[in-house]
Amino acid sequence: MSVRRKTATQSIRNNSDKRSTALDEDMKPTSISGNSMAMSSSLNSIQINPRTPKTPRPSRVELDNAEEEVELSLLGEEERQQAARDLDEVEEEVSSLKKPIGAKDKRNMVLLCILYLIQGVPLGLALGSIPFLLREHLSYSQLATFSLASYPYSLKLLWSPIVDSVYLPSLGRRKSWILPMQFIVGSLMLYLSLNVQRLLDQPADNIVELSTVFTSLVFFSATQDIAVDGWALTLLSQDCLSYASTCQTIGLNTGFFASFTVFLAFNSEAFA
């Protein structure tokens, strides 16, 4: 009985192994076919769009012109005429802004250049020529004392409100200061011309006098500069106000150049 049971059990095991082997063989082609189907479906899902040439985008100017044309097309006949008249008026205003400089403004510009040139001469002497001539005859402390002559021009904003507010009505707001400053500057220049030999022969002994005279000279020139700057705003017309700074630059640099570079060139033995 035991032998028969062992034989039956072994036959059952063999049958189950055959069935599992058959199932495995049936499953293999199925998985392969499933993978092939998945790959074909993924390939079918890929779409390649044809390349089309890109059309150029319109520029900003073209868009603005197109918008203006659309706006004009929406206007009526009377509104179009009114818009054309407004455009003509704007063009006339622009052309009027470019009108030539008048003869009066030209004369006033020449006057401003002369006034600024007169202011530039004392500056060239005090800041350029005299320190250059005295540097070999004075100590550093004495040169520092003489350098105080340059400070009034930098500090003129402290008394500029007085120049703008105090004046004689009979002479005018600007001439009340320009005429006295011109007279004082001329007097100081005359005093220097009469005593220049004495002052420059012994500059160390006369450093206080030199510093006082040139400091006063620069002070009065700076005061005149305040009055001339304010006068330029009313002297020139509204269209030529921008030329005031040009006149100042030309006048001051010309006066400084004449009293510094030209003055030293004429005093040079090599130049003579």
Side-chain angles (χ1 to χ4, degrees), residues 257-258 260-272:
F257 177 79
F260 182 24
T261 307
V262 177
F263 178 78
L264 291 179
F266 285 156
N267 282 275
S268 176
E269 297 178 356
F271 182 80

Side-chain angles (χ1 to χ4, degrees), residues 156 159 163 177 181 218-228:
K156 64 180 180 179
W159 63 90
V163 177
W177 290 94
M181 297 304 107
V218 174
F219 173 80
F220 293 118
S221 296
T223 305
Q224 177 184 332
D225 185 70
I226 297 170
V228 174

Side-chain angles (χ1 to χ4, degrees), residues 182-197:
Q182 286 287 308
F183 178 77
I184 296 172
V185 169
S187 300
L188 289 174
M189 295 291 288
L190 181 63
Y191 173 80
L192 287 173
S193 65
L194 297 175
N195 297 276
V196 63
Q197 195 67 36

Side-chain angles (χ1 to χ4, degrees), residues 28-48:
K28 287 182 181 180
T30 304
S31 60
I32 295 172
S33 61
N35 292 332
S36 61
M37 291 176 63
M39 292 177 61
S40 61
S41 60
S42 62
L43 291 174
N44 292 329
S45 62
I46 297 175
Q47 295 180 359
I48 300 175

Side-chain angles (χ1 to χ4, degrees), residues 77-245:
E77 187 65 26
E78 295 180 357
E79 294 175 344
R80 290 182 183 179
Q81 294 177 359
Q82 183 64 31
R85 285 194 295 268
D86 293 341
L87 183 60
D88 294 337
E89 292 177 359
V90 171
E91 291 178 354
E92 290 177 358
E93 291 178 358
V94 173
S95 61
S96 64
L97 293 175
K98 299 179 180 180
K99 62 182 180 181
I101 301 173
K104 183 179 179 181
D105 286 328
K106 291 180 180 179
R107 290 194 298 269
N108 293 334
M109 287 182 200
V110 173
L111 176 61
L112 287 176
C113 289
I114 294 173
L115 291 174
Y116 284 122
L117 186 146
I118 295 172
Q119 296 168 202
V121 172
L123 293 178
L125 290 173
L127 307 181
S129 298
I130 302 302
F132 184 83
L133 295 174
L134 299 180
R135 64 181 181 176
E136 296 180 357
H137 306 282
L138 299 177
S139 62
Y140 289 135
S141 60
Q142 291 172 333
L143 287 173
T145 302
F146 185 82
S147 67
L148 295 175
S150 62
Y151 280 86
Y153 209 88
S154 302
L155 301 176
K156 64 180 180 179
L157 59 92
L158 298 178
W159 63 90
S160 58
I162 300 174
V163 177
D164 286 335
S165 58
V166 179
Y167 63 94
L168 295 175
S170 58
L171 288 178
R173 184 185 296 271
R174 310 303 175 188
K175 293 180 182 179
S176 298
W177 290 94
I178 294 175
L179 294 178
M181 297 304 107
Q182 286 287 308
F183 178 77
I184 296 172
V185 169
S187 300
L188 289 174
M189 295 291 288
L190 181 63
Y191 173 80
L192 287 173
S193 65
L194 297 175
N195 297 276
V196 63
Q197 195 67 36
R198 175 180 62 85
L199 294 174
L200 295 182
D201 284 345
Q202 296 178 344
D205 298 334
N206 300 306
I207 186 62
V208 176
E209 184 179 358
L210 278 170
S211 301
T212 302
V213 172
F214 278 98
T215 302
S216 302
L217 195 62
V218 174
F219 173 80
F220 293 118
S221 296
T223 305
Q224 177 184 332
D225 185 70
I226 297 170
V228 174
D229 287 343
W231 196 23
L233 299 177
T234 56
L235 190 63
L236 299 177
S237 62
Q238 190 69 26
D239 298 333
C240 297
L241 282 179
S242 59
Y243 293 102
S245 60

